[in-house]
Amino acid sequence: KNQVEQSPQSLIILEGKNCTLQCNYTVSPFSNLRWYKQDTGRGPVSLTIMTFSENTKSNGRYTATLDADTKQSSLHITASQLSDSASYICVVSEGGNEKLTFGTGTRLTIIP
Amino acid sequence: NAGVTQTPKFQVLKTGQSMTLQCAQDMNHEYMSWYRQDPGMGLRLIHYSVGAGITDQGEVPNGYNVSRSTTEDFPLRLLSAAPSQTSVYFCASSYSTVNTGELFFGEGSRLTVL
């Protein structure tokens, strides 16, 4: 069964610090991997979409990496801000069909 | 450009009642879908549509009905609500296939079934 596992489940860091969130997947065949940010009470918003050939992709202070060989991805947040407090969801797209597999998310809390 | 609009934002139902969650998008997206989000679980696909007049089942379709008469609208019907359908429901749309296109989500509809 295709799975997407994220770690840690939750994380608390001080404002201004960096952090890295992890995503491991078993989805095959692989099409692309996405990171979404979901604020409390809101819908998920796309941060990045990475295909098989992309190792790194940045969106402002967010940088995603992908290792398709080990089936791992990470999301690095630089110089965190209070507005970064949210759940971050890793999503993997299965090649050849319309199926997305969602991780359960990492709940990130930034404290002043 | 409003994006994906869901109504209502909150709803409380009694077991056995029926209702419709509305979803509309103004981006001329062909692909639309409904997900449910439950604590400790990833979003799960209920139903999806790749264009007007075409719908298909997702991972957890039982107890739900959909139709797609226009490109803009994709309502989700709960036929006879059960407590297990207490959840947050998200509508999402994409310009092309979900494999290649960015998925845009609505703000969610929180449903409680007593």
mmCIF file of all heavy atoms in Angstrom, chain A residues 35-81:
data_model
loop_
_atom_site.group_PDB
_atom_site.id
_atom_site.type_symbol
_atom_site.label_atom_id
_atom_site.label_comp_id
_atom_site.label_asym_id
_atom_site.label_seq_id
_atom_site.Cartn_x
_atom_site.Cartn_y
_atom_site.Cartn_z
ATOM 1 N N TRP A 35 4.586 19.898 -1.236
ATOM 2 C CA TRP A 35 4.463 20.345 0.141
ATOM 3 C C TRP A 35 3.371 21.410 0.200
ATOM 4 O O TRP A 35 3.347 22.333 -0.623
ATOM 5 C CB TRP A 35 5.774 20.924 0.655
ATOM 6 C CG TRP A 35 6.800 19.892 0.999
ATOM 7 C CD1 TRP A 35 7.805 19.411 0.210
ATOM 8 C CD2 TRP A 35 6.939 19.214 2.262
ATOM 9 N NE1 TRP A 35 8.546 18.479 0.890
ATOM 10 C CE2 TRP A 35 8.046 18.340 2.150
ATOM 11 C CE3 TRP A 35 6.245 19.257 3.476
ATOM 12 C CZ2 TRP A 35 8.471 17.519 3.202
ATOM 13 C CZ3 TRP A 35 6.657 18.442 4.513
ATOM 14 C CH2 TRP A 35 7.766 17.592 4.372
ATOM 15 N N TYR A 36 2.483 21.235 1.191
ATOM 16 C CA TYR A 36 1.410 22.194 1.417
ATOM 17 C C TYR A 36 1.529 22.758 2.826
ATOM 18 O O TYR A 36 1.953 22.066 3.752
ATOM 19 C CB TYR A 36 0.031 21.536 1.288
ATOM 20 C CG TYR A 36 -0.404 21.277 -0.132
ATOM 21 C CD1 TYR A 36 -0.008 20.127 -0.804
ATOM 22 C CD2 TYR A 36 -1.218 22.184 -0.809
ATOM 23 C CE1 TYR A 36 -0.414 19.881 -2.103
ATOM 24 C CE2 TYR A 36 -1.632 21.944 -2.110
ATOM 25 C CZ TYR A 36 -1.217 20.793 -2.745
ATOM 26 O OH TYR A 36 -1.624 20.562 -4.035
ATOM 27 N N LYS A 37 1.106 24.004 2.981
ATOM 28 C CA LYS A 37 0.988 24.633 4.287
ATOM 29 C C LYS A 37 -0.493 24.800 4.605
ATOM 30 O O LYS A 37 -1.251 25.291 3.758
ATOM 31 C CB LYS A 37 1.661 26.017 4.280
ATOM 32 C CG LYS A 37 1.551 26.765 5.595
ATOM 33 C CD LYS A 37 2.105 28.170 5.476
ATOM 34 C CE LYS A 37 1.982 28.926 6.792
ATOM 35 N NZ LYS A 37 2.307 30.351 6.654
ATOM 36 N N GLN A 38 -0.882 24.369 5.814
ATOM 37 C CA GLN A 38 -2.280 24.501 6.208
ATOM 38 C C GLN A 38 -2.371 25.252 7.535
ATOM 39 O O GLN A 38 -2.030 24.709 8.588
ATOM 40 C CB GLN A 38 -2.965 23.134 6.324
ATOM 41 C CG GLN A 38 -4.451 23.231 6.638
ATOM 42 C CD GLN A 38 -5.156 21.892 6.661
ATOM 43 O OE1 GLN A 38 -4.537 20.852 6.826
ATOM 44 N NE2 GLN A 38 -6.472 21.912 6.478
ATOM 45 N N ASP A 39 -2.828 26.480 7.473
ATOM 46 C CA ASP A 39 -3.087 27.242 8.684
ATOM 47 C C ASP A 39 -4.310 26.678 9.381
ATOM 48 O O ASP A 39 -5.211 26.109 8.742
ATOM 49 C CB ASP A 39 -3.309 28.721 8.354
ATOM 50 C CG ASP A 39 -2.054 29.388 7.844
ATOM 51 O OD1 ASP A 39 -0.960 29.108 8.379
ATOM 52 O OD2 ASP A 39 -2.147 30.191 6.891
ATOM 53 N N THR A 40 -4.386 26.862 10.699
ATOM 54 C CA THR A 40 -5.504 26.340 11.479
ATOM 55 C C THR A 40 -6.816 26.896 10.941
ATOM 56 O O THR A 40 -6.975 28.097 10.769
ATOM 57 C CB THR A 40 -5.329 26.714 12.954
ATOM 58 O OG1 THR A 40 -4.103 26.149 13.424
ATOM 59 C CG2 THR A 40 -6.483 26.177 13.783
ATOM 60 N N GLY A 41 -7.754 25.984 10.649
ATOM 61 C CA GLY A 41 -9.061 26.403 10.180
ATOM 62 C C GLY A 41 -9.120 26.839 8.735
ATOM 63 O O GLY A 41 -10.141 27.384 8.304
ATOM 64 N N ARG A 42 -8.047 26.609 7.984
ATOM 65 C CA ARG A 42 -7.999 27.014 6.585
ATOM 66 C C ARG A 42 -7.715 25.814 5.698
ATOM 67 O O ARG A 42 -7.408 24.714 6.160
ATOM 68 C CB ARG A 42 -6.902 28.069 6.373
ATOM 69 C CG ARG A 42 -6.941 29.259 7.309
ATOM 70 C CD ARG A 42 -8.145 30.154 7.066
ATOM 71 N NE ARG A 42 -8.154 30.777 5.756
ATOM 72 C CZ ARG A 42 -7.536 31.930 5.482
ATOM 73 N NH1 ARG A 42 -6.854 32.572 6.405
ATOM 74 N NH2 ARG A 42 -7.629 32.454 4.261
ATOM 75 N N GLY A 43 -7.818 26.003 4.392
ATOM 76 C CA GLY A 43 -7.473 24.947 3.455
ATOM 77 C C GLY A 43 -5.979 24.921 3.177
ATOM 78 O O GLY A 43 -5.284 25.919 3.363
ATOM 79 N N PRO A 44 -5.454 23.780 2.731
ATOM 80 C CA PRO A 44 -4.023 23.695 2.394
ATOM 81 C C PRO A 44 -3.672 24.608 1.224
ATOM 82 O O PRO A 44 -4.475 24.774 0.297
ATOM 83 C CB PRO A 44 -3.838 22.220 2.013
ATOM 84 C CG PRO A 44 -4.990 21.500 2.645
ATOM 85 C CD PRO A 44 -6.122 22.476 2.614
ATOM 86 N N VAL A 45 -2.471 25.157 1.272
ATOM 87 C CA VAL A 45 -1.971 26.027 0.213
ATOM 88 C C VAL A 45 -0.640 25.461 -0.271
ATOM 89 O O VAL A 45 0.227 25.127 0.536
ATOM 90 C CB VAL A 45 -1.785 27.472 0.713
ATOM 91 C CG1 VAL A 45 -1.139 28.338 -0.365
ATOM 92 C CG2 VAL A 45 -3.122 28.064 1.136
ATOM 93 N N SER A 46 -0.485 25.375 -1.577
ATOM 94 C CA SER A 46 0.715 24.772 -2.157
ATOM 95 C C SER A 46 1.958 25.621 -1.905
ATOM 96 O O SER A 46 1.942 26.836 -2.062
ATOM 97 C CB SER A 46 0.526 24.586 -3.668
ATOM 98 O OG SER A 46 1.682 24.046 -4.251
ATOM 99 N N LEU A 47 3.054 24.941 -1.507
ATOM 100 C CA LEU A 47 4.348 25.604 -1.356
ATOM 101 C C LEU A 47 5.268 25.256 -2.525
ATOM 102 O O LEU A 47 5.887 26.131 -3.125
ATOM 103 C CB LEU A 47 5.017 25.175 -0.047
ATOM 104 C CG LEU A 47 4.358 25.622 1.251
ATOM 105 C CD1 LEU A 47 5.091 25.010 2.446
ATOM 106 C CD2 LEU A 47 4.350 27.140 1.356
ATOM 107 N N THR A 48 5.398 23.968 -2.816
ATOM 108 C CA THR A 48 6.253 23.528 -3.917
ATOM 109 C C THR A 48 5.706 22.259 -4.549
ATOM 110 O O THR A 48 4.983 21.499 -3.911
ATOM 111 C CB THR A 48 7.688 23.202 -3.453
ATOM 112 O OG1 THR A 48 7.645 22.093 -2.560
ATOM 113 C CG2 THR A 48 8.365 24.374 -2.790
ATOM 114 N N ILE A 49 6.046 22.051 -5.806
ATOM 115 C CA ILE A 49 5.800 20.780 -6.506
ATOM 116 C C ILE A 49 7.130 20.368 -7.123
ATOM 117 O O ILE A 49 7.751 21.161 -7.832
ATOM 118 C CB ILE A 49 4.741 20.922 -7.611
ATOM 119 C CG1 ILE A 49 3.412 21.369 -7.057
ATOM 120 C CG2 ILE A 49 4.580 19.600 -8.351
ATOM 121 C CD1 ILE A 49 2.354 21.595 -8.129
ATOM 122 N N MET A 50 7.576 19.137 -6.844
ATOM 123 C CA MET A 50 8.869 18.680 -7.346
ATOM 124 C C MET A 50 8.689 17.405 -8.153
ATOM 125 O O MET A 50 8.044 16.463 -7.691
ATOM 126 C CB MET A 50 9.841 18.428 -6.202
ATOM 127 C CG MET A 50 10.088 19.648 -5.344
ATOM 128 S SD MET A 50 11.240 19.317 -3.998
ATOM 129 C CE MET A 50 12.753 19.092 -4.910
ATOM 130 N N THR A 51 9.268 17.369 -9.330
ATOM 131 C CA THR A 51 9.232 16.171 -10.151
ATOM 132 C C THR A 51 10.479 15.323 -9.893
ATOM 133 O O THR A 51 11.369 15.722 -9.143
ATOM 134 C CB THR A 51 9.161 16.534 -11.639
ATOM 135 O OG1 THR A 51 10.332 17.302 -11.975
ATOM 136 C CG2 THR A 51 7.916 17.358 -11.937
ATOM 137 N N PHE A 52 10.519 14.196 -10.557
ATOM 138 C CA PHE A 52 11.586 13.218 -10.350
ATOM 139 C C PHE A 52 12.969 13.821 -10.559
ATOM 140 O O PHE A 52 13.921 13.498 -9.847
ATOM 141 C CB PHE A 52 11.374 12.050 -11.315
ATOM 142 C CG PHE A 52 12.348 10.926 -11.137
ATOM 143 C CD1 PHE A 52 12.074 9.915 -10.250
ATOM 144 C CD2 PHE A 52 13.536 10.876 -11.856
ATOM 145 C CE1 PHE A 52 12.959 8.859 -10.078
ATOM 146 C CE2 PHE A 52 14.426 9.835 -11.691
ATOM 147 C CZ PHE A 52 14.139 8.824 -10.797
ATOM 148 N N SER A 53 13.081 14.721 -11.508
ATOM 149 C CA SER A 53 14.402 15.240 -11.886
ATOM 150 C C SER A 53 14.845 16.437 -11.041
ATOM 151 O O SER A 53 15.969 16.908 -11.188
ATOM 152 C CB SER A 53 14.392 15.649 -13.358
ATOM 153 O OG SER A 53 13.401 16.643 -13.566
ATOM 154 N N GLU A 54 14.001 16.913 -10.149
ATOM 155 C CA GLU A 54 14.343 18.095 -9.356
ATOM 156 C C GLU A 54 14.835 17.686 -7.978
ATOM 157 O O GLU A 54 14.155 16.951 -7.268
ATOM 158 C CB GLU A 54 13.133 19.025 -9.220
ATOM 159 C CG GLU A 54 12.687 19.611 -10.551
ATOM 160 C CD GLU A 54 11.422 20.428 -10.420
ATOM 161 O OE1 GLU A 54 10.383 19.852 -10.034
ATOM 162 O OE2 GLU A 54 11.467 21.638 -10.714
ATOM 163 N N ASN A 55 16.009 18.157 -7.593
ATOM 164 C CA ASN A 55 16.573 17.839 -6.284
ATOM 165 C C ASN A 55 16.221 18.872 -5.228
ATOM 166 O O ASN A 55 16.072 18.555 -4.055
ATOM 167 C CB ASN A 55 18.102 17.731 -6.376
ATOM 168 C CG ASN A 55 18.541 16.661 -7.334
ATOM 169 O OD1 ASN A 55 19.186 16.937 -8.331
ATOM 170 N ND2 ASN A 55 18.154 15.435 -7.044
ATOM 171 N N THR A 56 16.132 20.124 -5.657
ATOM 172 C CA THR A 56 15.893 21.217 -4.733
ATOM 173 C C THR A 56 14.978 22.243 -5.381
ATOM 174 O O THR A 56 15.101 22.526 -6.576
ATOM 175 C CB THR A 56 17.217 21.911 -4.348
ATOM 176 O OG1 THR A 56 18.117 20.950 -3.818
ATOM 177 C CG2 THR A 56 16.981 22.989 -3.310
ATOM 178 N N LYS A 57 14.073 22.792 -4.557
ATOM 179 C CA LYS A 57 13.197 23.849 -5.054
ATOM 180 C C LYS A 57 12.897 24.809 -3.918
ATOM 181 O O LYS A 57 12.588 24.356 -2.805
ATOM 182 C CB LYS A 57 11.904 23.254 -5.595
ATOM 183 C CG LYS A 57 11.170 24.159 -6.567
ATOM 184 C CD LYS A 57 10.195 23.342 -7.387
ATOM 185 C CE LYS A 57 9.662 24.152 -8.544
ATOM 186 N NZ LYS A 57 8.753 23.360 -9.392
ATOM 187 N N SER A 58 12.994 26.088 -4.189
ATOM 188 C CA SER A 58 12.796 27.089 -3.141
ATOM 189 C C SER A 58 11.575 27.947 -3.413
ATOM 190 O O SER A 58 11.201 28.202 -4.562
ATOM 191 C CB SER A 58 14.028 27.989 -3.029
ATOM 192 O OG SER A 58 15.129 27.264 -2.529
ATOM 193 N N ASN A 59 10.961 28.395 -2.327
ATOM 194 C CA ASN A 59 9.842 29.325 -2.392
ATOM 195 C C ASN A 59 10.018 30.277 -1.213
ATOM 196 O O ASN A 59 9.568 30.009 -0.105
ATOM 197 C CB ASN A 59 8.520 28.566 -2.297
ATOM 198 C CG ASN A 59 7.312 29.487 -2.305
ATOM 199 O OD1 ASN A 59 7.454 30.712 -2.342
ATOM 200 N ND2 ASN A 59 6.136 28.919 -2.283
ATOM 201 N N GLY A 60 10.750 31.354 -1.451
ATOM 202 C CA GLY A 60 11.049 32.281 -0.368
ATOM 203 C C GLY A 60 11.921 31.620 0.687
ATOM 204 O O GLY A 60 12.993 31.098 0.386
ATOM 205 N N ARG A 61 11.438 31.608 1.931
ATOM 206 C CA ARG A 61 12.228 30.999 3.020
ATOM 207 C C ARG A 61 12.026 29.494 3.115
ATOM 208 O O ARG A 61 12.577 28.851 4.008
ATOM 209 C CB ARG A 61 11.826 31.656 4.342
ATOM 210 C CG ARG A 61 12.202 33.134 4.429
ATOM 211 C CD ARG A 61 11.772 33.755 5.766
ATOM 212 N NE ARG A 61 10.312 33.751 5.915
ATOM 213 C CZ ARG A 61 9.642 32.869 6.651
ATOM 214 N NH1 ARG A 61 10.296 31.937 7.324
ATOM 215 N NH2 ARG A 61 8.340 32.941 6.729
ATOM 216 N N TYR A 62 11.248 28.937 2.234
ATOM 217 C CA TYR A 62 10.996 27.496 2.202
ATOM 218 C C TYR A 62 11.843 26.849 1.105
ATOM 219 O O TYR A 62 11.801 27.293 -0.039
ATOM 220 C CB TYR A 62 9.523 27.200 1.916
ATOM 221 C CG TYR A 62 8.547 27.773 2.908
ATOM 222 C CD1 TYR A 62 7.858 28.945 2.651
ATOM 223 C CD2 TYR A 62 8.308 27.123 4.112
ATOM 224 C CE1 TYR A 62 6.953 29.466 3.558
ATOM 225 C CE2 TYR A 62 7.402 27.635 5.027
ATOM 226 C CZ TYR A 62 6.723 28.805 4.749
ATOM 227 O OH TYR A 62 5.844 29.312 5.656
ATOM 228 N N THR A 63 12.578 25.795 1.476
ATOM 229 C CA THR A 63 13.362 25.050 0.504
ATOM 230 C C THR A 63 13.051 23.562 0.656
ATOM 231 O O THR A 63 13.221 23.011 1.744
ATOM 232 C CB THR A 63 14.875 25.270 0.696
ATOM 233 O OG1 THR A 63 15.177 26.648 0.523
ATOM 234 C CG2 THR A 63 15.668 24.452 -0.322
ATOM 235 N N ALA A 64 12.585 22.968 -0.425
ATOM 236 C CA ALA A 64 12.285 21.537 -0.424
ATOM 237 C C ALA A 64 13.379 20.791 -1.155
ATOM 238 O O ALA A 64 13.924 21.277 -2.157
ATOM 239 C CB ALA A 64 10.935 21.282 -1.077
ATOM 240 N N THR A 65 13.710 19.604 -0.642
ATOM 241 C CA THR A 65 14.666 18.733 -1.323
ATOM 242 C C THR A 65 13.993 17.403 -1.591
ATOM 243 O O THR A 65 13.068 16.999 -0.880
ATOM 244 C CB THR A 65 15.930 18.503 -0.480
ATOM 245 O OG1 THR A 65 15.569 17.784 0.702
ATOM 246 C CG2 THR A 65 16.591 19.819 -0.112
ATOM 247 N N LEU A 66 14.468 16.727 -2.619
ATOM 248 C CA LEU A 66 13.916 15.436 -2.991
ATOM 249 C C LEU A 66 15.037 14.488 -3.364
ATOM 250 O O LEU A 66 15.902 14.830 -4.168
ATOM 251 C CB LEU A 66 12.956 15.587 -4.171
ATOM 252 C CG LEU A 66 12.398 14.287 -4.769
ATOM 253 C CD1 LEU A 66 11.552 13.541 -3.750
ATOM 254 C CD2 LEU A 66 11.609 14.565 -6.041
ATOM 255 N N ASP A 67 15.021 13.305 -2.752
ATOM 256 C CA ASP A 67 15.928 12.218 -3.138
ATOM 257 C C ASP A 67 15.038 11.075 -3.601
ATOM 258 O O ASP A 67 14.514 10.317 -2.778
ATOM 259 C CB ASP A 67 16.807 11.789 -1.962
ATOM 260 C CG ASP A 67 17.853 10.762 -2.365
ATOM 261 O OD1 ASP A 67 17.635 10.030 -3.363
ATOM 262 O OD2 ASP A 67 18.884 10.669 -1.691
ATOM 263 N N ALA A 68 14.863 10.964 -4.909
ATOM 264 C CA ALA A 68 13.955 9.960 -5.460
ATOM 265 C C ALA A 68 14.501 8.542 -5.297
ATOM 266 O O ALA A 68 13.741 7.575 -5.317
ATOM 267 C CB ALA A 68 13.680 10.259 -6.928
ATOM 268 N N ASP A 69 15.815 8.424 -5.127
ATOM 269 C CA ASP A 69 16.399 7.089 -4.943
ATOM 270 C C ASP A 69 16.037 6.514 -3.579
ATOM 271 O O ASP A 69 15.689 5.339 -3.460
ATOM 272 C CB ASP A 69 17.922 7.158 -5.095
ATOM 273 C CG ASP A 69 18.329 7.453 -6.526
ATOM 274 O OD1 ASP A 69 17.572 7.077 -7.452
ATOM 275 O OD2 ASP A 69 19.391 8.079 -6.725
ATOM 276 N N THR A 70 16.143 7.337 -2.547
ATOM 277 C CA THR A 70 15.813 6.878 -1.200
ATOM 278 C C THR A 70 14.359 7.165 -0.840
ATOM 279 O O THR A 70 13.903 6.788 0.241
ATOM 280 C CB THR A 70 16.720 7.544 -0.152
ATOM 281 O OG1 THR A 70 16.503 8.955 -0.186
ATOM 282 C CG2 THR A 70 18.184 7.228 -0.426
ATOM 283 N N LYS A 71 13.636 7.834 -1.724
ATOM 284 C CA LYS A 71 12.223 8.182 -1.517
ATOM 285 C C LYS A 71 12.050 9.022 -0.255
ATOM 286 O O LYS A 71 11.229 8.723 0.625
ATOM 287 C CB LYS A 71 11.358 6.924 -1.478
ATOM 288 C CG LYS A 71 11.406 6.153 -2.793
ATOM 289 C CD LYS A 71 10.409 5.003 -2.824
ATOM 290 C CE LYS A 71 10.443 4.343 -4.204
ATOM 291 N NZ LYS A 71 9.482 3.223 -4.307
ATOM 292 N N GLN A 72 12.857 10.072 -0.192
ATOM 293 C CA GLN A 72 12.790 10.976 0.944
ATOM 294 C C GLN A 72 12.747 12.415 0.454
ATOM 295 O O GLN A 72 13.356 12.766 -0.561
ATOM 296 C CB GLN A 72 14.011 10.795 1.850
ATOM 297 C CG GLN A 72 14.091 9.431 2.510
ATOM 298 C CD GLN A 72 15.323 9.293 3.400
ATOM 299 O OE1 GLN A 72 16.385 9.819 3.077
ATOM 300 N NE2 GLN A 72 15.166 8.603 4.516
ATOM 301 N N SER A 73 12.033 13.242 1.212
ATOM 302 C CA SER A 73 11.990 14.672 0.934
ATOM 303 C C SER A 73 12.079 15.409 2.255
ATOM 304 O O SER A 73 11.729 14.874 3.313
ATOM 305 C CB SER A 73 10.699 15.041 0.207
ATOM 306 O OG SER A 73 10.602 16.440 0.024
ATOM 307 N N SER A 74 12.572 16.635 2.180
ATOM 308 C CA SER A 74 12.601 17.465 3.375
ATOM 309 C C SER A 74 12.141 18.875 3.012
ATOM 310 O O SER A 74 12.261 19.304 1.852
ATOM 311 C CB SER A 74 13.999 17.500 3.983
ATOM 312 O OG SER A 74 14.902 18.129 3.092
ATOM 313 N N LEU A 75 11.603 19.556 3.998
ATOM 314 C CA LEU A 75 11.221 20.960 3.839
ATOM 315 C C LEU A 75 11.966 21.753 4.895
ATOM 316 O O LEU A 75 11.783 21.519 6.092
ATOM 317 C CB LEU A 75 9.714 21.140 4.004
ATOM 318 C CG LEU A 75 9.206 22.582 3.843
ATOM 319 C CD1 LEU A 75 9.348 23.036 2.388
ATOM 320 C CD2 LEU A 75 7.751 22.714 4.295
ATOM 321 N N HIS A 76 12.827 22.645 4.450
ATOM 322 C CA HIS A 76 13.634 23.456 5.347
ATOM 323 C C HIS A 76 13.053 24.863 5.401
ATOM 324 O O HIS A 76 12.827 25.479 4.357
ATOM 325 C CB HIS A 76 15.083 23.489 4.853
ATOM 326 C CG HIS A 76 16.020 24.185 5.798
ATOM 327 N ND1 HIS A 76 16.447 23.637 6.968
ATOM 328 C CD2 HIS A 76 16.585 25.413 5.719
ATOM 329 C CE1 HIS A 76 17.253 24.482 7.587
ATOM 330 N NE2 HIS A 76 17.359 25.568 6.852
ATOM 331 N N ILE A 77 12.835 25.338 6.616
ATOM 332 C CA ILE A 77 12.321 26.698 6.805
ATOM 333 C C ILE A 77 13.421 27.537 7.443
ATOM 334 O O ILE A 77 13.947 27.166 8.511
ATOM 335 C CB ILE A 77 11.056 26.701 7.678
ATOM 336 C CG1 ILE A 77 9.991 25.788 7.054
ATOM 337 C CG2 ILE A 77 10.513 28.127 7.827
ATOM 338 C CD1 ILE A 77 8.749 25.612 7.909
ATOM 339 N N THR A 78 13.753 28.608 6.811
ATOM 340 C CA THR A 78 14.840 29.471 7.275
ATOM 341 C C THR A 78 14.284 30.692 7.988
ATOM 342 O O THR A 78 13.273 31.260 7.568
ATOM 343 C CB THR A 78 15.683 29.942 6.067
ATOM 344 O OG1 THR A 78 16.145 28.792 5.362
ATOM 345 C CG2 THR A 78 16.862 30.781 6.520
ATOM 346 N N ALA A 79 14.938 31.063 9.076
ATOM 347 C CA ALA A 79 14.572 32.286 9.815
ATOM 348 C C ALA A 79 13.065 32.328 10.077
ATOM 349 O O ALA A 79 12.359 33.213 9.594
ATOM 350 C CB ALA A 79 15.031 33.517 9.052
ATOM 351 N N SER A 80 12.600 31.376 10.853
ATOM 352 C CA SER A 80 11.170 31.195 11.041
ATOM 353 C C SER A 80 10.491 32.462 11.573
ATOM 354 O O SER A 80 11.080 33.262 12.314
ATOM 355 C CB SER A 80 10.910 30.030 11.989
ATOM 356 O OG SER A 80 11.491 30.276 13.249
ATOM 357 N N GLN A 81 9.218 32.603 11.184
ATOM 358 C CA GLN A 81 8.393 33.714 11.641
ATOM 359 C C GLN A 81 7.136 33.157 12.299
ATOM 360 O O GLN A 81 6.767 32.006 12.072
ATOM 361 C CB GLN A 81 8.013 34.602 10.451
ATOM 362 C CG GLN A 81 9.195 35.191 9.718
ATOM 363 C CD GLN A 81 8.811 35.984 8.491
ATOM 364 O OE1 GLN A 81 7.629 36.076 8.136
ATOM 365 N NE2 GLN A 81 9.802 36.567 7.830
#
